[in-house]
């Protein structure tokens, strides 16, 4: 297998910001060196046409988060909103690569969901083609996520949905979603429903989401890196809140047909199996111009169906993995006849190096993308996007 060495750099289009109507977005990865010559290398993605899903993985300190931050900056500077989930303080100012920090923070808008509530459309019925979904379907979308994360059975999810449906129907007088649901559950005449309220109180006592009024959208669409920090919550609550945010963004972007990129670091802490919201973002996002950038330290925590979902991402950057995962990584990167060579390359990766596999990699002035698996060496420029 022929390999190419690439240097990751940042890119600023001449003449200022690119308009969102531009038919492609670009993430410049740096230069390809052949002999004494260097050629620029970049990803070129067409929202709504190409699968704009990117998966980065590698052990801690291997360089994957820095690469993700580089791409987030470039997307935002091309007027593509980046909606980022911070599950473990990995996107806090202290964890941004120092050479990138000033540029990243100039584009970042931060929301600490432990300290403030955020607007959401999650209980506003969405347009489905020419129709508006029913209040029951709107309620079910929220309740399925809450119920599955709390190990509810179908009957319990149905009972929860019936209570939330009432809140959907009287949404103008119930602006605070979680407290409204908790009050409805605890005041129910059904003992079983009151029991659901007791089980969900650790989650619903937090006033996290405010209902957005009809006629507007909670989807952040300004060209920034919008960071939603849920890292201060306990594990189960953090997972539920993260998936509710993803569900809200997916449904809103699907209705508006506005290109966005959803960024999730430590994605191994969320569910990616069939029917989950992240699975839908990966497999269906292309149809609605929804891109994704998913970052994980490991493949070990993913079940087989979740690894299958990750294998469907259009672009993969594999940094040095733990030794126990090299074989699994090679299976995602190469056909069987090439895996032994890929294994050796993965073993030899140094910090800041990765293997890149994408059908949307362009080298130099070539009009045709290169679909080869290439080796990338990250090298941040001294002066960043002046």
């Amino acid at each position: 297998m022929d390999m190419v060495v690439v240097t990751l750099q940042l890119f600023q289009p001449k003449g200022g910001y690119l308009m969102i109507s531009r038919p492609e977005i670009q993430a410049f990865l740096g230069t390809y060196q052949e002999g004494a010559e260097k050629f620029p290398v970049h990803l070129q993605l067409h929202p709504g046409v190409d699968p704009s899903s990117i998966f980065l993985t590698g052990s801690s300190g291997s360089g994957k988060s820095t690469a993700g931050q580089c791409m987030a900056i470039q997307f935002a500077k091309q007027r593509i909103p980046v909606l980022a989930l911070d599950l473990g303080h990995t996107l806090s100012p202290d964890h941004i690569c120092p050479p990138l920090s000033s540029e990243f923070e100039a584009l970042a808008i931060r929301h600490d969901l432990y300290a403030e509530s955020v607007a959401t459309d999650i209980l506003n019925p969405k347009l489905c083609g020419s129709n508006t979904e029913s209040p029951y379907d709107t309620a079910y979308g929220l309740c399925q996520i809450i119920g599955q994360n709390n190990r509810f059975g179908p009957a319990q999810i149905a009972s929860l949905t019936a209570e939330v449906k009432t809140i959907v129907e009287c949404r103008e007088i119930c602006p605070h979603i979680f407290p409204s649901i908790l009050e409805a559950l605890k005041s129910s005449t059904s003992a079983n429903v009151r029991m659901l309220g007791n089980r969900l109180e650790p989650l619903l006592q937090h006033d996290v989401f405010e209902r957005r009024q009809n006629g507007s959208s909670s989807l952040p669409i300004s060209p920034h890196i919008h960071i939603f920090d849920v890292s201060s919550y306990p594990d189960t609550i953090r997972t539920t809140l993260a998936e509710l945010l993803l569900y809200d963004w997916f449904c809103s972007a699907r209705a508006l047909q506005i290109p966005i990129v959803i960024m999730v670091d430590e994605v191994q802490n969320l569910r990616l199996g069939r029917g989950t919201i992240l699975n839908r973002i990966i497999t269906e996002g292309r149809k609605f111009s929804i891109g994704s950038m998913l970052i994980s330290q490991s493949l070990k925590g993913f079940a087989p169906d979740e690894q299958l979902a990750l294998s469907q991402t259009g672009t993969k950057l594999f940094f040095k993995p733990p030794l126990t995962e090299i074989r699994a990584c090679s299976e995602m990167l190469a056909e069987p006849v090439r895996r032994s060579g890929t294994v050796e390359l993965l073993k030899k990766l140094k910090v800041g190096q990765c293997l890149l596999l994408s059908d949307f990699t362009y080298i130099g002035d070539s009009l045709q993308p290169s679909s080869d698996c290439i080796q990338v060496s990250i090298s941040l420029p001294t002066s960043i996007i002046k």
Side-chain angles (χ1 to χ4, degrees):
M1 176 173 58
D2 295 333
M3 304 303 295
V4 180
V5 178
V6 178
T7 302
L8 182 64
Q9 296 175 336
L10 297 179
F11 169 75
Q12 182 187 25
K14 294 180 180 179
Y17 289 153
L18 297 178
M19 297 305 293
I20 203 167
S21 59
R22 184 175 172 88
E24 77 272 348
I25 56 176
Q26 299 184 3
F28 276 70
L29 303 180
T31 57
Y32 157 54
Q33 185 167 351
E34 184 174 339
E37 288 193 89
K38 293 183 178 181
F39 302 93
V41 177
H42 64 274
L43 297 176
Q44 183 171 303
L45 303 168
H46 298 76
V49 178
D50 301 328
S52 304
S53 50
I54 303 170
F55 177 49
L56 303 91
T57 186
S59 56
S60 179
S62 60
K64 63 187 180 302
S65 294
T66 298
Q69 293 159 18
C70 286
M71 285 188 279
I73 289 172
Q74 294 182 72
F75 293 147
K77 292 190 77 67
Q78 291 175 85
R79 302 194 68 80
I80 303 297
V82 178
L83 281 55
L85 272 176
D86 190 351
L87 299 172
H89 294 294
T90 56
L91 291 174
S92 65
D94 293 342
H95 285 81
I96 304 301
C97 176
L100 296 174
S101 180
S102 61
E103 191 70 22
F104 190 94
E105 292 305 317
L107 292 166
I109 297 177
R110 298 179 177 276
H111 306 273
D112 182 352
L113 270 69
Y114 198 78
E116 60 177 304
S117 56
V118 297
T120 180
D121 291 326
I122 203 164
L123 285 191
N124 290 342
K126 304 292 191 305
L127 285 174
C128 301
S130 59
N131 302 313
T132 302
E133 66 182 0
S134 70
Y136 185 90
D137 289 340
T138 302
Y140 182 73
L142 179 149
C143 295
Q144 185 181 41
I145 292 173
I146 292 177
Q148 289 179 347
N149 277 295
N150 286 273
R151 301 182 182 278
F152 285 5
Q156 293 171 309
I157 293 177
S159 296
L160 183 61
T161 300
E163 296 295 333
V164 174
K165 172 179 173 289
T166 304
I167 297 174
V168 173
E169 293 171 332
C170 66
R171 54 187 172 273
E172 298 301 327
I173 60 173
C174 300
H176 301 283
I177 293 176
F178 279 4
S180 299
I181 296 174
L182 183 59
E183 181 180 358
L185 295 176
K186 289 206 155 189
S187 61
S188 174
T189 57
S190 167
N192 288 333
V193 172
R194 293 197 301 273
M195 187 178 298
L196 293 181
N198 292 332
R199 286 184 60 181
L200 292 176
E201 187 166 7
L203 168 69
L204 299 179
Q205 67 175 327
H206 298 284
D207 188 11
V208 181
F209 297 113
E210 291 184 358
R211 191 193 315 269
R212 175 72 75 176
Q213 296 300 312
N214 286 335
S216 62
S217 174
S218 64
L219 187 71
I221 58 174
S222 64
H224 292 88
I225 304 169
H226 302 266
I227 301 171
F228 292 78
D229 184 358
V230 295
S231 57
S232 296
Y233 285 98
D235 291 348
T236 302
I237 294 177
R238 180 168 63 235
T239 300
T240 303
L241 296 180
E243 293 190 0
L244 289 174
L245 283 168
L246 292 170
Y247 180 74
D248 185 26
W249 297 341
F250 177 79
C251 292
S252 297
R254 182 181 61 183
L256 294 175
Q257 296 286 298
I258 292 177
I260 64 169
V261 172
I262 294 174
M263 178 179 181
V264 185
D265 203 347
E266 295 191 343
V267 71
Q268 71 273 8
N269 293 314
L270 300 181
R271 298 176 302 136
L272 287 91
R274 181 174 296 182
T276 64
I277 185 57
L278 267 177
N279 191 289
R280 295 183 65 189
I281 288 170
I282 294 171
T283 59
E284 302 176 31
R286 176 188 60 81
K287 296 183 289 186
F288 310 110
S289 300
I290 301 172
S292 58
M293 184 158 47
L294 310 178
I295 306 172
S296 173
Q297 290 187 11
S298 170
L299 287 179
K300 186 177 180 180
F302 296 109
D305 62 330
E306 294 177 319
Q307 291 193 30
L308 177 61
L310 291 172
S311 71
Q312 297 180 58
T313 53
T315 299
K316 302 173 183 66
L317 289 88
F318 278 57
F319 292 77
K320 188 179 178 82
L323 287 175
T324 55
E325 297 184 21
I326 286 179
R327 178 64 60 180
C329 291
S330 70
E331 291 174 356
M332 195 174 289
L333 286 171
E335 298 295 327
V337 295
R338 296 184 174 181
R339 284 178 189 161
S340 60
T342 304
V343 166
E344 294 306 311
L345 289 167
L346 287 167
K347 287 180 180 178
K348 296 176 182 178
L349 287 176
K350 300 177 181 179
V351 173
Q353 293 183 332
C354 69
L355 299 187
L356 166 67
L357 179 63
S358 176
D359 288 331
F360 313 106
T361 303
Y362 289 78
I363 301 176
D365 296 328
S366 174
L367 299 178
Q368 298 298 322
S370 170
S371 58
D372 291 336
C373 185
I374 62 176
Q375 184 170 310
V376 176
S377 296
I378 296 177
S379 178
L380 297 178
T382 303
S383 179
I384 298 176
I385 309 186
K386 296 298 184 182

